[in-house]
Amino acid sequence: MRRSRWLAAVLLLVPALLLWQLLRSPAPLRLVTFNGQTMGTTYHVVLRVPDADKAADVQAAVDARLAEINRSMSTWDPQSELSRLNAAPAGKPVAVSAELYKVLAAAQHWSRATGGALDVTVGPLVNLWGFGPGGERRTPGPREIAAARARSGYERLRLEPGRVTRTVPGMYVDLSAIAKGYGVDEVGRLLHARGYAHYLVEIGGEVVAAGERDAGTPWHVGIERPEAGLPQGAELVGAVPLRRGALASSGSYRRYRDEGGQRRHHIIDPRTGRPTQSRLVAVTVWAPDCMTADALATALMVMGPDKGLAWVERTPDVEALFLVDVGGGDFAQHASSGFVTE
Ligand code: AMP
Ligand code: MG
């Protein structure tokens, strides 16, 4: 009798130990990947999920969320909230969604912090040089540039809680420098809200990471060699272990046109109304969130490698890698003190 009671106790203990072991050791995880089209480019998601989780409806939710952001912020959709704001009469406050307001407010914040290097009101200039919707790439004359400059300037875009006023007729806001990063953050937030702790989200080269690729192994993000004509990601100059936060890149080597020995690309220096002129061909920025990294990558392309690097060093929570064309197909790498590559 005594013996069988012991036996029962041991038998009970064994399943309890097994259960404890099961709970203690993490469930086996595997990677699920999916991709699609958004914001005129592609997106990729890599998700580390428990074995039993098929993550079946996650992609549909991601697609729906990205479509929603596009309906708010795209200048390529004439019906988007932003296109309607751009078409509204100047001088009148327009009520905007919380989401659009948040991105506009972030853009204005970084415009002030970068001395106007980032300026989402450069839209008329982007369009003039042919890098906007339906644009024809050409070199405009000085008068046209002056006229487009008169319709831009972030200080002329007024924000008050929930409302936006374009104070100059013909003002045109273009969020292409920041919206992809916001989209990346939002997809990350969606995955987090669904209980996922390990993921990598990328839209057109802008990336956010959470958790780890494998136990003890961080996600790694490659930095491509900024050479025109190379297929995307074909050659890397290094890889960044992304333990937290986001990476975004800007460059003058993908969307451009050469004319008379000068490269006309899609990043406009708001102070001149012309594409930036420097040997800086690409910048990659680390920041805690991808909207910030995206905005700053564009701003640092405008600032150039020297002023840009000094700015990064005195700004907390931002790191950057500048790739400068030194001729002969070589690139010099200038990294801020906390930028880690492997
Ligand atoms: P990104 O690829 O993030 O560097 O964004 C570049 C896009 O932002 C361009 O295609 C333009 O539509 C727009 N853009 C160009 N120059 C600027 C600027 N100085 N500030 C804000 N947006 C800009
Ligand atoms: Mg950007």
Side-chain angles (χ1 to χ4, degrees):
M1 185 67 194
R2 252 186 108 112
R3 198 165 156 247
S4 66
R5 215 183 288 144
W6 269 110
L7 201 63
V10 169
L11 282 177
L12 272 176
L13 196 64
V14 171
L17 270 176
L18 271 178
L19 189 68
W20 184 73
Q21 273 294 332
L22 270 178
L23 290 176
R24 205 184 59 111
S25 62
L29 295 168
R30 66 195 166 81
L31 297 180
V32 167
T33 63
F34 54 87
N35 47 62
Q37 307 275 329
T38 187
M39 302 186 184
T41 181
T42 53
Y43 79 80
H44 295 88
V45 173
V46 188
L47 198 54
R48 208 168 137 226
V49 300
D51 222 3
D53 182 351
K54 300 285 173 275
D57 62 339
V58 178
Q59 178 159 21
V62 166
D63 281 329
R65 184 71 188 100
L66 289 170
E68 193 172 50
I69 295 171
N70 260 298
R71 278 196 300 277
S72 173
M73 292 172 208
S74 172
T75 45
W76 303 76
D77 171 1
Q79 298 309 318
S80 74
E81 190 185 8
L82 182 58
S83 294
R84 281 183 280 120
L85 172 68
N86 281 332
K92 288 216 173 92
V94 175
V96 297
S97 65
E99 176 151 275
L100 182 56
Y101 189 85
K102 179 180 173 177
V103 176
L104 285 169
Q108 294 293 78
H109 168 80
W110 290 117
S111 290
R112 287 188 291 270
T114 60
L118 178 80
D119 188 337
V120 293
T121 72
V122 291
L125 291 154
V126 173
N127 296 346
L128 187 62
W129 287 88
F131 290 101
E136 177 204 329
R137 308 225 171 139
R138 65 188 188 91
T139 298
R143 277 203 193 155
E144 290 175 287
I145 293 175
R149 289 192 68 202
R151 297 195 276 130
S152 42
Y154 72 95
E155 281 139 327
R156 299 178 182 153
L157 183 70
R158 200 160 58 224
L159 265 64
E160 48 206 344
R163 301 196 312 168
V164 180
T165 311
R166 291 155 46 258
T167 64
V168 189
M171 219 180 178
Y172 181 101
V173 178
D174 171 7
L175 290 176
S176 308
I178 187 170
K180 274 190 295 196
Y182 176 73
V184 167
D185 288 337
E186 283 302 299
V187 172
R189 278 190 268 274
L190 183 154
L191 299 175
H192 180 81
R194 288 182 167 233
Y196 296 112
H198 307 275
Y199 53 78
L200 198 67
V201 177
E202 179 255 352
I203 303 179
E206 328 296 34
V207 188
V208 77
E212 295 177 319
R213 186 180 197 283
D214 211 343
T217 311
W219 298 103
H220 278 81
V221 177
I223 297 182
E224 72 178 358
R225 189 179 157 77
E227 197 173 300
L230 278 181
Q232 205 152 1
E235 274 186 53
L236 302 181
V237 297
V240 179
L242 195 53
R243 291 191 166 79
R244 67 181 184 95
L247 281 179
S249 301
S250 265
S252 57
Y253 63 101
R254 287 235 176 264
R255 297 187 63 201
Y256 72 90
R257 168 175 65 83
D258 282 329
E259 195 183 277
Q262 296 217 309
R263 180 152 292 188
R264 313 293 194 196
H265 57 85
H266 68 133
I267 295 172
I268 304 288
D269 185 336
R271 294 160 300 190
T272 62
R274 297 167 182 276
T276 61
Q277 293 288 314
S278 91
R279 300 194 78 81
L280 176 61
V281 282
V283 182
T284 296
V285 176
W286 180 90
D289 64 88
C290 202
M291 177 166 70
T292 301
D294 192 0
L296 291 180
T298 309
L300 291 170
M301 277 300 295
V302 174
M303 283 181 175
D306 302 330
K307 285 191 178 142
L309 192 57
W311 186 90
V312 170
E313 293 294 17
R314 62 174 189 268
T315 305
D317 259 358
V318 179
E319 302 295 342
L321 174 70
F322 297 79
L323 298 178
V324 178
D325 185 352
V326 290
D330 282 338
F331 302 98
Q333 301 190 19
H334 303 281
S336 64
S337 48
F339 194 97
V340 180
T341 45
E342 283 177 354

